[in-house]
Amino acid sequence: MDMELEALVGYFDDENSIPGIEVKVIEYDPSKHIPGHEWLKERGADIIYSSDPNAIETLKPRVDEDQTVAFASSAQSILLENPGYAFTAGTYPVDLYYTFLDWIAENDWDYATKGPAKIGMGGWTTVINVAMAEGMERYCVENPERFEWAGSYLTDGGFNWAPEVDALKDCDYVFPPTGGYVPFVKEY
């Protein structure tokens, strides 16, 4: 995503897309949301983009207060409820999983003869994972003939997935962690 941002900004400047304005990318460590925000403000940043979807929840009150426009890589509920100066450059994860589960039901799982598929997820407790779990659970509740929700087993970090794997071992489909994928699969 960062390389695409660099390419997009280069294109804007090459094409003079915003006459009289030069756009440039100033990078900061996205894991340091608040210090990064302050550092960017000190350097005169007018727009902040973070490929870390968790950044927007932390930065939203700050960008609303100082009226700096911020973009996140995916939409979080906070953006939909009260957008202010924070926007999304991507999709809303809750909705993505409606499409994902609909595709499984129509193309992979024969729920008409097998009954509902049992599905769950493991991962870290991040804003995006909570949103993904919310979307999958909502789909399962609305479509009980297709899926049974086994739950989301989220942890605050680490790579020991034994409890999560144990909780998900009887599932027909498991959405694995986006971080720590390899240790999760080995444990599973």
Side-chain angles (χ1 to χ4, degrees), residues 3-188:
M3 290 187 325
E4 289 176 18
L5 179 63
E6 288 277 354
L8 179 64
V9 166
Y11 176 80
F12 279 171
D13 284 342
D14 292 347
E15 297 296 316
N16 197 26
S17 298
I18 310 170
I21 302 292
E22 179 188 351
V23 181
K24 66 180 180 176
V25 175
I26 305 170
E27 292 188 41
Y28 73 101
D29 182 345
S31 70
K32 297 178 179 165
H33 303 154
I34 294 171
H37 173 256
E38 295 303 317
W39 186 84
L40 290 170
K41 273 181 30 179
E42 290 169 6
R43 282 150 185 80
D46 296 310
I47 299 172
I48 296 174
Y49 169 77
S50 179
S51 57
D52 177 1
N54 300 302
I56 205 67
E57 192 155 327
T58 304
L59 294 180
K60 184 170 178 352
R62 295 174 186 288
V63 299
D64 285 348
E65 182 179 318
D66 63 27
Q67 299 182 347
T68 301
V69 175
F71 287 90
S73 59
S74 65
Q76 307 306 325
S77 297
I78 193 169
L79 296 179
L80 302 176
E81 296 159 4
N82 181 16
Y85 283 82
F87 300 90
T88 182
T91 58
Y92 184 45
V94 172
D95 292 344
L96 286 176
Y97 288 87
Y98 270 73
T99 304
F100 173 65
L101 293 183
D102 211 40
W103 186 92
I104 290 173
E106 292 176 10
N107 296 285
D108 195 59
W109 184 258
D110 184 4
Y111 64 89
T113 57
K114 295 180 181 179
K118 189 172 182 181
I119 188 167
M121 77 175 282
W124 292 326
T125 307
T126 61
V127 173
I128 196 163
N129 281 343
V130 169
M132 290 187 293
E134 179 186 326
M136 287 191 280
E137 181 177 13
R138 193 179 309 160
Y139 186 95
C140 293
V141 167
E142 292 173 4
N143 297 277
E145 73 286 355
R146 291 180 164 194
F147 289 101
E148 174 189 340
W149 180 238
S152 58
Y153 297 89
L154 305 177
T155 179
D156 289 332
F159 294 94
N160 176 8
W161 296 108
E164 292 77 16
V165 166
D166 189 51
L168 296 166
K169 67 183 176 190
D170 295 326
C171 288
D172 300 302
Y173 294 95
V174 173
F175 187 84
T178 52
Y181 177 81
V182 172
F184 182 90
V185 171
K186 283 182 178 179
E187 181 73 32
Y188 200 84

